[in-house]
Amino acid sequence: MNIVLCHRSVNVDQKLTALYSLKWLVSIRAPEFEDFCQKDAHEFLTTLLAQMSRESLLLQEVAASVGWSYRCPVERHFGFRMQTTWTCKSCGASSAHEENFTNLSLNLEPGSSVQEMIQDYLKESELDFRCDCGANSSSQQSAFVTLPKVLMLHLKRFTFTPRLGLQKLRDQVDLFRELMVVSEQGDGWYSLVSIISHLGSGAHAGHYISEGLHPDVDLDDPADRWLTFNDSEVTRTTGSSVCQQRQRDAYILFYQRRMM
């Protein structure tokens, strides 16, 4: 909340204090973030959201004690459920289970669009699993049960080489401004509102920047006003320009759901 409250402040010291406090609090439970070396942005973000979620039960109790109600903002904005179904290719036996998510990690498909990468994530895949009938050929498929207000997509740009070295993949991805996602509860239409990019060719160095829709405009701003946040420097840009420039560096995408 301190970060939100000083968002528009020109007091640099106030902002730094709020950011350092957040980093220190996260590192209490996740000591890998104690130092000031570059860390993975996706790992930090998911760690932060998980820690916020763990406070939910306590905050619900505190709110109830004073006659208020509380709902975890992580669940309210990012949370969704997915169902994974396993099916035996021989006898047709199947089982399904649901799991809560706050983001999806997508395999890079060179030259593909984000929409196509989501479809690839959801398609049926072969699974080496021994069924009670004795067969070893099965399939597995995932599907959205519910949809979030904000869909966070992580593009897997970092991978291991055959010798277990870490490398960055700079494959080009078409960054669509609009997405349609299908779920059991209906379709969801999403618009791109922010991108976190990793600049640099290697996995062990580089620089993170964030770009997003200007906070004073809505999704259909005719001027397409976006901002680039590069450390303490903030500059004007457009969503179209960002989508063209970050095709090889986009790392985390944020899509906001529209009302149908």
Side-chain angles (χ1 to χ4, degrees), residues 32-141:
E32 62 269 28
F33 297 111
E34 283 181 345
D35 60 39
F36 289 92
C37 298
Q38 178 170 287
K39 307 297 181 182
D40 184 273
H42 178 251
E43 289 181 6
F44 181 82
L45 182 54
T46 53
T47 297
L48 173 63
L49 295 179
Q51 290 192 13
M52 292 175 64
S53 296
R54 280 197 291 266
E55 301 295 333
S56 180
L57 183 59
L58 174 61
L59 290 172
Q60 287 175 5
E61 295 174 353
V62 172
S65 69
V66 293
W68 293 354
S69 63
Y70 172 84
R71 185 182 176 192
C72 177
V74 177
E75 175 190 340
R76 188 167 69 248
H77 296 288
F78 294 103
F80 60 97
R81 296 200 315 278
M82 297 201 73
Q83 178 176 280
T84 302
T85 303
W86 163 85
T87 305
C88 175
K89 292 289 189 179
S90 179
C91 70
S94 65
S95 64
H97 74 276
E98 291 187 8
E99 187 176 355
N100 294 323
F101 283 75
T102 58
N103 68 104
L104 280 187
S105 292
L106 304 177
N107 292 322
L108 281 182
E109 298 291 340
S112 296
S113 67
V114 175
Q115 184 79 66
E116 291 169 332
M117 290 162 63
I118 293 177
Q119 292 171 350
D120 184 68
Y121 183 96
L122 299 175
K123 74 179 182 182
E124 183 179 85
S125 60
E126 297 298 318
L127 185 67
D128 185 13
F129 180 81
R130 186 174 180 81
C131 179
D132 290 340
C133 73
N136 292 317
S137 179
S138 304
S139 67
Q140 179 176 285
Q141 188 166 18

Side-chain angles (χ1 to χ4, degrees), residues 15-30:
K15 290 186 173 183
L16 287 175
T17 299
L19 290 172
Y20 284 140
S21 296
L22 175 66
K23 179 180 177 297
W24 175 75
L25 287 169
V26 171
S27 67
I28 292 176
R29 291 180 177 173

Side-chain angles (χ1 to χ4, degrees), residues 248-260:
R248 296 186 183 275
D249 298 302
Y251 188 44
I252 309 174
L253 311 174
F254 300 86
Y255 286 85
Q256 181 175 321
R257 189 173 185 179
R258 289 176 170 269
M259 299 302 294
M260 299 287 286

